[in-house]
Amino acid sequence: MKRVLVTGAAGMLGVEVVEAMRPDWEVLEADLEQFDVSNERETLSAVREASPDVVVNCAAYTDVDGAETHRDAAFATNAAGAGSVAKAAAAAGARIIHLSTDYVFDGAKAGPYTEDDPPNPVSVYGESKLAGEVEVRASGAEYLILRTAWLYGHGGGNFVETVLRLAGEGGPLRIVDDQRGSPTYARDLASVIRQLATGPGTGILNATNSGDTTWYGFAVKIVETAGLGDVRVEPVATSEFPRPAPRPRSSVLSLDRLSGALGWTPRSWDEALTEYLSER
Ligand SMILES: NC(=O)c1ccc[n+]([C@@H]2O[C@H](COP(=O)([O-])OP(=O)(O)OC[C@H]3O[C@@H](n4cnc5c(N)ncnc54)[C@H](OP(=O)(O)O)[C@@H]3O)[C@@H](O)[C@H]2O)c1
């Protein structure tokens, strides 16, 4: 049985990756308790000892607004940390699947972003994740970088849970309607990772559920599907809802390359959402 090491295994995506890989792989789980990816020495030694065939790096500093004032912490995990994990994978002869983000783009493009579009992050978080991609590519490891977006899942606080909590309090909800993206169910992304883990693919791949919407459209669908359709949801402009970190206006990612690699296309975001809501 091949062995996979999952870093960030206690996070929202990590828990799903662990579950998805379990039937066919020996799974080693690591989170901050086991080793801090920003500590290169610790990471090299832990990965050497684990001796995996594949490393899935889900460890990340994911507080997008917090990164604006904690730049060093974001870069330590998302840039230097990604580099440490990738160098450790290279030294162990393992392939790395590294998670990145749609927030490497500025959102100015009219259509979906392909993997070859030039990144231009508008937030510190996006900058730190792009720096992580550069580190992974330079590490010497066989790598696959998966750019995902707007994740939700059972293993963590996320937009779906926030909307349900606020709707449960009666609303009305005021949600931004001028940022587009593709909501992505962590469990669906984990299935994609499981399939790609066995392949020889390298490079960068976009990986989200298909279709796209705005945060407002996402919230309306959540409320309706959860049977809370009587709660009012109001669209607002980003300018009415200032946040510390700027977000791309549209960070929809093209799935053409992913569909070619998988031989299928991930299902639509609203179908995935319906399943998530029925399971929680
Ligand atoms: N969430 C999204 O909407 C989204 C969108 C696009 C891309 N992504 C990317 O997808 C990946 C998974 O995201 P996620 O939402 O599952 O994140 P998450 O829930 O925040 O999980 C990240 C995990 O990494 C751990 N961690 C943080 N710093 C670490 C360090 N220095 N060493 C070791 N472990 C560390 C965290 O521990 P603590 O919780 O204790 O800090 C947490 O368990 C990340 O690469 C993220 O950038 C996420």
Side-chain angles (χ1 to χ4, degrees):
M1 212 180 217
K2 288 204 169 188
R3 186 179 301 160
V4 61
L5 172 66
V6 182
T7 60
M12 189 163 63
L13 178 62
V15 295
E16 295 290 356
V17 172
V18 167
E19 280 312 304
M21 301 298 285
R22 255 201 189 117
D24 307 312
W25 292 71
E26 182 188 346
V27 182
L28 304 178
E29 302 173 45
D31 211 281
L32 268 172
E33 218 174 278
Q34 283 70 39
F35 62 93
D36 181 335
V37 297
S38 66
N39 182 325
E40 187 167 326
R41 195 181 41 78
E42 227 176 85
T43 303
L44 274 168
S45 140
V47 175
R48 187 185 316 113
E49 197 176 316
S51 188
D53 299 287
V54 173
V55 179
V56 182
N57 185 28
C58 300
Y61 179 104
T62 53
D63 179 353
V64 176
D65 287 322
E68 295 296 312
T69 43
H70 295 90
R71 186 182 180 91
D72 288 352
F75 270 78
T77 296
N78 294 347
S84 295
V85 176
K87 280 180 231 159
R95 181 164 171 256
I96 180 168
I97 298 181
H98 172 71
L99 273 299
S100 191
T101 173
D102 56 332
Y103 282 10
V104 298
F105 295 114
D106 60 19
K109 189 178 176 185
Y113 283 96
T114 72
E115 290 81 353
D116 298 327
D117 281 321
N120 182 33
V122 293
S123 63
V124 172
Y125 168 76
E127 280 177 41
S128 71
K129 293 295 291 183
L130 180 59
E133 290 188 6
V134 172
E135 292 273 354
V136 170
R137 295 167 73 168
S139 67
E142 187 190 338
Y143 71 87
L144 186 57
I145 292 170
L146 296 182
R147 289 183 180 145
T148 192
W150 294 28
L151 272 187
Y152 63 90
H154 299 282
N158 59 70
F159 182 78
V160 180
E161 294 305 320
T162 303
V163 165
L164 290 174
R165 178 173 50 77
L166 294 174
E169 290 164 8
L173 280 66
R174 301 179 75 238
I175 311 283
V176 296
D177 196 28
D178 53 4
Q179 292 171 28
R180 287 201 87 77
S182 300
T184 299
Y185 184 18
R187 189 165 289 174
D188 283 12
L189 180 57
S191 303
V192 166
I193 291 172
R194 181 187 55 205
Q195 181 171 337
L196 294 173
T198 53
T202 57
I204 300 178
L205 276 182
N206 297 333
T208 64
N209 278 118
S210 56
D212 57 86
T213 185
T214 65
W215 290 111
Y216 166 75
F218 190 16
V220 167
K221 190 76 193 173
I222 293 163
V223 166
E224 281 173 359
T225 310
L228 299 164
D230 50 332
V231 174
R232 216 165 72 236
V233 185
E234 295 167 5
V236 297
T238 299
S239 55
E240 290 176 70
F241 196 69
R243 304 271 294 268
R247 266 77 171 170
R249 286 181 74 84
S250 176
S251 55
V252 180
L253 302 175
S254 163
L255 297 182
D256 291 352
R257 195 181 285 178
L258 178 72
S259 302
L262 293 172
W264 50 278
T265 302
R267 62 184 163 171
S268 67
W269 69 266
D270 44 340
E271 192 184 337
L273 173 68
T274 302
E275 185 174 299
Y276 172 76
L277 290 173
S278 73
E279 287 166 351
R280 67 184 282 285

